């Protein structure tokens, strides 16, 4: 059972559709990955900026503000930043400040831990206010960015599917239009018959409206048709010659038999008539043998040499 080969148009349409889907898919993946990396970098930059701002705020207020005032400043610092959470503890783990908008163990938050210097309450025996160390945990909620990435993924996916369908339909139409010359050539070939072999070989298949890629093929097909026309004319001439050669002995045989049957004949006359008929039959047999020889020669078989026993006997037979 032979394998079913798909049509050239369908194969080209499928190839173009597959390439389009692959190309658009790679573009969508690249855009999504670039957005993901950009948002991740923006989150880190945002944390760096907030860390620097928080350290600057605490270092400025360390000499001029009390800890309660500093805590109030921290609350103001987080105002308007709903994606930020802040937790501050001293060196002993005592909670100094906390404002959480998501749980501490939330896996969808970016974390940043660092230490800062905090002022201590004023001492009557000390003119200068000492400082203590505090551990700060800054958390950035990634949920808004994750929602943006999900929305971007849906948009890219739907755009890729719609674009692939549109390009696939357009590709199928372009392939069908591009293969129209082939269909025209097939229709011209289907309309060719034996009578068209007598036409000019350059006009059997018209290449005037065909693309340049098909014109060499059309020229080769026209040349092939010309060779077939030559062979067809030779076959017609051969058939006419064979019919003429067979017609003469057949006419002689029919006339001889009709004359022999019109009246009674003795044995000698019948013998002469049969001998004459035998010569005509041998002539017909020779013609048939020549036809078989030509048929075998067309198939590439070599001719068998014929040995002539006596040229004198052959000459006398021809003369008789």
């Amino acid at each position: 059972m032979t394998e079913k080969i798909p049509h050239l148009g369908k194969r080209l349409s499928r190839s173009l559709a597959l390439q389009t889907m692959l190309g658009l898919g790679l573009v969508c993946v690249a855009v999504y990955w670039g957005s993901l990396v950009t948002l991740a970098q923006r989150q880190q930059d945002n944390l760096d900026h907030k860390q620097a701002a928080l350290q600057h705020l605490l270092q400025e207020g360390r000499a001029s503000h009390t800890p309660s005032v500093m805590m109030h400043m921290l609350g103001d610092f987080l105002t308007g930043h709903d994606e930020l959470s802040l937790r501050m503890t001293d060196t002993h783990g005592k909670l100094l400040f906390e404002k959480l908008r998501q749980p501490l163990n939330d896996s969808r938050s970016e974390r940043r831990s660092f230490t800062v210097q905090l002022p201590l309450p004023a001492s009557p025996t000390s003119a200068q206010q000492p400082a203590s160390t505090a551990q700060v945990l800054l958390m950035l909620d990634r949920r808004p960015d994750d929602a943006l990435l999900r929305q971007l993924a849906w948009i890219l996916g739907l755009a890729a599917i719609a674009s692939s369908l549109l390009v696939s339909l357009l590709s199928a139409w372009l392939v069908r239009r591009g293969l129209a010359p082939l269909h025209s050539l097939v229709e011209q070939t289907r309309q060719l018959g034996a009578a068209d072999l007598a036409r000019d070989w350059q006009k059997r298949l018209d290449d005037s409206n065909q693309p340049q890629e098909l014109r060499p093929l059309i020229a080769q097909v026209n040349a092939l048709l010309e060779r077939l026309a030559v062979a067809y004319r030779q076959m017609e001439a051969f058939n006419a010659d064979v019919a003429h050669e067979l017609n003469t002995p057949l006419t002689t045989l029919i006339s001889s038999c009709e004359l022999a049957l019109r009246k009674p004949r003795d044995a000698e006359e019948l013998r002469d008539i049969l001998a004459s008929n035998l010569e005509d039959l041998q002539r017909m047999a020779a013609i048939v043998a020549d036809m078989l020889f030509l048929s075998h020669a067309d198939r590439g078989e070599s001719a068998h040499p014929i040995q002539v026993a006596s040229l004198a006997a052959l000459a006398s037979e021809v003369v008789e």
Side-chain angles (χ1 to χ4, degrees), residues 181-222:
L182 279 179
H183 297 301
S184 175
L185 184 60
V186 171
E187 186 62 27
Q188 290 186 51
T189 307
R190 184 183 296 112
Q191 294 176 359
L192 285 177
D196 297 316
L197 295 178
R199 298 167 55 188
D200 184 8
W201 71 276
Q202 293 181 345
K203 297 181 180 179
R204 292 192 181 105
L205 291 180
D206 186 14
D207 62 349
S208 58
N209 296 324
Q210 298 294 337
Q212 294 294 332
E213 292 79 5
L214 291 179
R215 291 189 176 182
L217 175 61
I218 296 174
Q220 292 297 326
V221 172
N222 283 335

Side-chain angles (χ1 to χ4, degrees), residues 77-85 99-102 139-141 144:
F77 173 78
L78 294 177
T79 302
H81 299 284
D82 296 336
E83 72 281 3
L84 289 177
S85 297
K99 189 172 184 180
L100 302 178
R101 292 186 172 89
Q102 62 265 16
M139 299 174 61
L140 177 65
D141 192 6

Side-chain angles (χ1 to χ4, degrees), residues 62 70 108 200 252 256:
R62 184 171 58 188
M70 293 294 298
R108 301 175 65 181
D200 184 8
T252 303
S256 177

Side-chain angles (χ1 to χ4, degrees), residues 5-14 175 179 182:
I5 302 177
H7 294 287
L8 180 61
K10 293 182 179 179
R11 187 185 304 175
L12 289 175
S13 299
R14 292 173 184 173
V175 167
L179 292 178
L182 279 179

Side-chain angles (χ1 to χ4, degrees), residues 256-312:
S256 177
C257 292
E258 289 178 348
L259 289 175
L261 294 175
R262 284 184 180 180
K263 61 180 179 177
R265 306 284 181 175
D266 55 16
E268 187 65 25
E269 290 178 343
L270 291 176
R271 188 180 295 111
D272 292 339
I273 292 174
L274 291 176
S276 177
N277 291 346
L278 180 60
E279 292 178 359
D280 290 331
L281 290 173
Q282 289 175 348
R283 183 181 177 186
M284 294 175 61
I287 295 175
V288 173
D290 291 340
M291 294 176 61
L292 291 175
F293 167 74
L294 292 176
S295 176
H296 294 166
D298 288 338
R299 293 198 297 265
E301 298 182 8
S302 59
H304 299 288
I306 300 176
Q307 299 293 335
V308 180
S310 174
L311 291 178

